Amino acid sequence: MSKIRILSLDGGGIRGIIPATVLSYIEDKLKEKSENPGASISEYFDFVAGTSSGGILTLLYLCPDDKKKSKYSAKEVLNLFLEKGDEIFKVSILEKIRNLNGIIDEKYPERFLEKLLKNYLSQNLLSDSLKPCIISSYDIRNRKAFFFTSIEAKESKNNFYMREVARATSAAPTYFEPSRIKSMDDTTHALIDGGVFANNPALCAYAEARKIDFKKILSNPSKSLKPTAKDMIIVSIGSGDIKEPYYYKDFKNAGVFQWIKPLFDMMMSGNSETVDYQLRKIYQTLPKADQMDYHRIQPKIINADNSIDNASKKNLNALHRDGLLTVAENKKELALIVDKLIENQ
């Protein structure tokens, strides 16, 4: 029986360059080891989950071309972030003055992000996804978690343009205004960044994969019907781990404004750590050989600024260097992952 290969990508704004760098390396190694020059992320993973920038990456990897193959290679996706990343977080001096740098209005106008998403994802629908996927967002009107899934997108009420899914999952509060999108049956949703509750979507991926008939969906009889943990290889990639310490003396009398940034920071990192803990505990219940099929790669941010919106050319390059450093420090584990991806075709 061939195991289900799951890829999960954390949120992290412009820090998405780091996992994009890691995945570019993985794709190159897949081409080399499989002797398949057309090898792609979408071909060697059976299910993909993403939040925020991880959701954007997911959609780019799973976006089809006219021949139902990957429209973009992992290297092209990385170059998009490196070359166009500064356009996403573009703001004029006048707009900065008008919104008091994000205090009384969102920090960045959404038009640049939306233009970029439209250029790259075009008219493709979520139902066109090359592989099953789940992308998180949060419904502010109905106050509940909202999940875009490509399987449920076969129904028009759950189907959306890929570009609008990408916009919704990355609508980070205070950075961009909420996304107001319509499904193919004209149902309207008001959504924000899924990172507010699922910055690390790996556990969401696990839960969703449990109910999928991969034999049927992938037309592959060697795949599992409703797999359990022992039938899954999970590769979960973070967007950079740097923990700024906060001290009691600085926060014992802190007010709302002083707590905003630390709370956002702790919510994102705390969620990612909790999901990692839960999945490790799940895999520890399995036989020894299967325990090794959960891979969590959390890069270190050493050269770059850890802000999710520092898209200066200098910081984009620094993030790329941190991505390359992550590859160098994890070559043994990445080689193991590549081998497993090929073995479980």
Side-chain angles (χ1 to χ4, degrees):
M1 186 66 70
S2 179
K3 292 196 175 190
I4 304 303
R5 303 159 299 175
I6 295 173
L7 174 64
S8 175
L9 300 170
D10 286 19
I14 199 61
R15 295 195 332 235
I17 285 172
I18 300 177
T21 302
V22 174
L23 285 163
S24 180
Y25 174 83
I26 288 175
E27 190 174 271
D28 284 345
K29 287 300 174 184
L30 285 169
K31 291 176 181 177
E32 179 185 315
K33 288 200 170 185
S34 68
E35 297 182 351
N36 173 11
S40 65
I41 295 299
S42 68
E43 183 181 355
Y44 283 87
F45 282 99
D46 303 311
F47 186 90
V48 187
T51 291
S52 194
S53 57
I56 294 175
L57 288 172
T58 296
L59 292 163
L60 289 167
Y61 296 136
L62 300 181
C63 185
D65 63 14
D66 294 339
K67 297 178 181 178
K68 302 299 180 185
K69 298 290 185 180
S70 292
K71 188 173 184 179
Y72 306 108
S73 68
K75 187 164 289 184
E76 287 173 326
V77 172
L78 170 61
N79 287 337
L80 162 60
F81 271 67
L82 287 171
E83 295 169 8
K84 305 286 186 180
D86 60 332
E87 294 181 17
I88 297 172
F89 298 101
K90 185 186 294 185
V91 60
S92 68
I93 297 297
L94 182 60
E95 286 169 320
K96 275 189 177 182
I97 295 171
R98 188 183 296 130
N99 64 35
L100 296 184
N101 202 29
I103 293 176
I104 62 172
D105 202 349
E106 66 273 1
K107 195 173 180 180
Y108 300 101
E110 68 283 355
R111 63 183 182 274
F112 300 113
L113 172 60
E114 289 178 353
K115 180 181 178 182
L116 204 61
L117 294 174
K118 187 174 182 179
N119 285 344
Y120 281 84
L121 295 171
S122 189
Q123 297 297 107
N124 286 291
L125 295 170
L126 183 58
S127 57
D128 297 327
S129 176
L130 290 170
K131 289 288 178 67
C133 66
I134 184 169
I135 294 171
S136 65
S137 190
Y138 189 83
D139 185 327
I140 59 174
R141 182 176 59 191
N142 295 306
R143 287 299 307 276
K144 64 179 184 179
F146 189 95
F147 295 101
F148 297 98
T149 69
S150 58
I151 291 177
E152 292 178 353
K154 304 306 177 186
E155 297 181 32
S156 61
K157 68 177 181 178
N158 299 316
N159 203 9
F160 302 81
Y161 287 113
M162 279 187 169
R163 64 176 187 267
E164 296 195 339
V165 176
R167 170 72 174 90
T169 191
S170 60
T174 75
Y175 292 92
F176 296 104
E177 70 175 29
S179 175
R180 191 169 184 270
I181 67 174
K182 288 185 178 182
S183 63
M184 291 301 102
D185 74 345
D186 283 335
T187 303
T188 303
H189 301 271
L191 304 170
I192 61 171
D193 194 319
V196 299
F197 74 96
N199 197 56
N200 176 350
L203 199 59
C204 298
Y206 167 78
E208 186 70 16
R210 287 290 306 268
K211 69 180 187 180
I212 296 175
D213 182 350
F214 283 96
K215 287 180 185 288
K216 181 179 179 181
I217 293 293
L218 302 178
S219 301
N220 186 341
S222 71
K223 293 294 181 180
S224 302
L225 164 63
K226 298 182 179 179
T228 59
K230 68 179 177 61
D231 306 310
M232 300 179 191
I233 298 166
I234 297 179
V235 180
S236 174
I237 307 179
S239 61
D241 187 24
I242 180 168
K243 292 178 182 172
E244 179 183 346
Y246 300 110
Y247 300 103
Y248 172 77
K249 64 182 178 64
D250 298 323
F251 285 87
K252 63 179 182 177
N253 297 312
V256 173
F257 286 108
Q258 193 173 345
W259 269 110
I260 289 176
K261 182 183 181 297
L263 273 178
F264 192 72
D265 183 19
M266 286 185 267
M267 281 170 56
M268 290 179 69
S269 63
N271 166 266
S272 293
E273 292 156 11
T274 301
V275 169
D276 180 40
Y277 172 84
Q278 292 166 326
L279 280 168
R280 288 188 189 280
K281 291 299 179 183
I282 289 172
Y283 272 78
Q284 283 171 12
T285 67
L286 304 178
K288 197 71 174 177
D290 295 318
Q291 288 181 23
M292 307 304 292
D293 283 336
Y294 169 63
H295 300 269
R296 172 65 176 172
I297 295 174
Q298 179 58 287
K300 296 174 185 175
I301 296 181
I302 295 174
N303 297 292
D305 176 10
N306 72 325
S307 300
I308 67 171
D309 63 332
N310 184 345
S312 66
K313 288 296 184 183
K314 179 181 178 182
N315 201 53
L316 297 180
N317 291 329
L319 286 166
H320 184 42
R321 289 199 301 276
D322 283 335
L324 294 173
L325 184 61
T326 301
V327 168
E329 291 183 344
N330 291 275
K331 275 197 173 178
K332 186 175 180 180
E333 185 167 6
L334 292 173
L336 183 61
I337 288 169
V338 168
D339 288 341
K340 289 181 181 180
L341 295 178
I342 294 170
E343 289 166 9
N344 288 274
Q345 268 287 72

